[in-house]
Amino acid sequence: MIRKLLRTDFDAMLSVINDGAQAYKGIIPADRWKDPYMSADELEEELKAGVTFFGWEENETLVGVMGIQPVQDTTLIRHAYVRTQYQRRGIGSRLLEHLLRLAKTPEILVGTWADASWAIRFYEKYGFTLVSTEEKDRLLRRYWSIPERQIETSIVLKLSK
């Protein structure tokens, strides 16, 4: 079941993000990886920046999260994670489909790590297309607040409605 997550879900969200992020260990450049992947302070900053999270629950346990964030004239898909033991069961697909229905802008963007080939294929399955390196750099600087090193090692995919 999908539901909008609340402040009371904070600890469960953080747990799902950090568990699901294990799939990126060894994929994310070593100088960008940390354990835990996201701290409570970082999640708090994302919430303050306007990321709204939705979650997938099974047996009253949160097992997947994905965020949506309107920024200026576009919509960002943010922080898509599913607990390791629940991956490859369609949870990410159902969350993404839900968020795509909620997006109100004609353009939707998602960023991920350049070496995360499975994540890129996942978004391409939904019609997202990779943007050029020049456009990627421009978009990441305009819509995200990330360090230069992360810009160097990331890609952006775009979906136009």
Side-chain angles (χ1 to χ4, degrees):
M1 170 183 110
I2 295 176
R3 69 175 178 86
K4 184 176 178 181
L5 298 176
L6 308 171
R7 294 292 296 172
T8 54
D9 297 306
F10 187 91
D11 290 341
M13 279 191 286
L14 194 59
S15 177
V16 169
I17 290 167
N18 285 317
D19 182 84
Q22 293 302 310
Y24 291 91
K25 193 170 188 173
I27 301 298
I28 294 174
D31 64 323
R32 300 302 313 146
W33 176 260
K34 58 191 184 330
D35 204 359
Y37 181 68
M38 183 180 283
S39 70
D41 288 344
E42 289 168 318
L43 179 56
E44 186 64 46
E45 288 303 313
E46 294 298 299
L47 293 168
K48 285 179 184 172
V51 178
T52 300
F53 284 92
F54 288 80
W56 180 267
E57 288 184 328
E58 290 191 6
N59 301 317
E60 298 180 25
T61 300
L62 185 65
V63 299
V65 300
M66 193 175 291
I68 188 169
Q69 182 183 22
V71 179
Q72 300 170 32
D73 57 348
T74 196
T75 301
L76 306 180
I77 301 298
R78 305 291 311 277
H79 308 297
Y81 295 99
V82 175
R83 283 193 179 279
T84 306
Q85 70 188 60
Y86 289 87
Q87 290 174 0
R88 299 195 179 355
R89 296 186 189 179
I91 294 168
S93 293
R94 290 190 287 268
L95 284 165
L96 181 60
E97 289 166 0
H98 182 75
L99 296 186
L100 292 178
R101 286 191 297 272
L102 294 177
K104 301 202 182 328
T105 59
E107 182 177 84
I108 303 166
L109 303 173
V110 63
T112 192
W113 299 97
D115 290 340
S117 57
W118 75 91
I120 295 166
R121 284 191 308 273
F122 171 76
Y123 292 110
E124 287 176 334
K125 185 171 80 172
Y126 288 92
F128 285 83
T129 56
L130 280 168
V131 302
S132 69
T133 301
E134 296 77 23
E135 186 177 8
K136 178 255 315 182
D137 291 349
R138 182 184 64 77
L139 292 170
L140 287 172
R141 287 185 180 102
R142 179 173 179 186
Y143 296 115
W144 279 266
S145 295
I146 60 175
E148 280 299 311
R149 177 66 176 136
Q150 193 165 341
I151 290 171
E152 294 169 14
T153 56
S154 295
I155 55 92
V156 171
L157 297 106
K158 179 192 311 187
L159 177 69
S160 298
K161 288 174 150 184

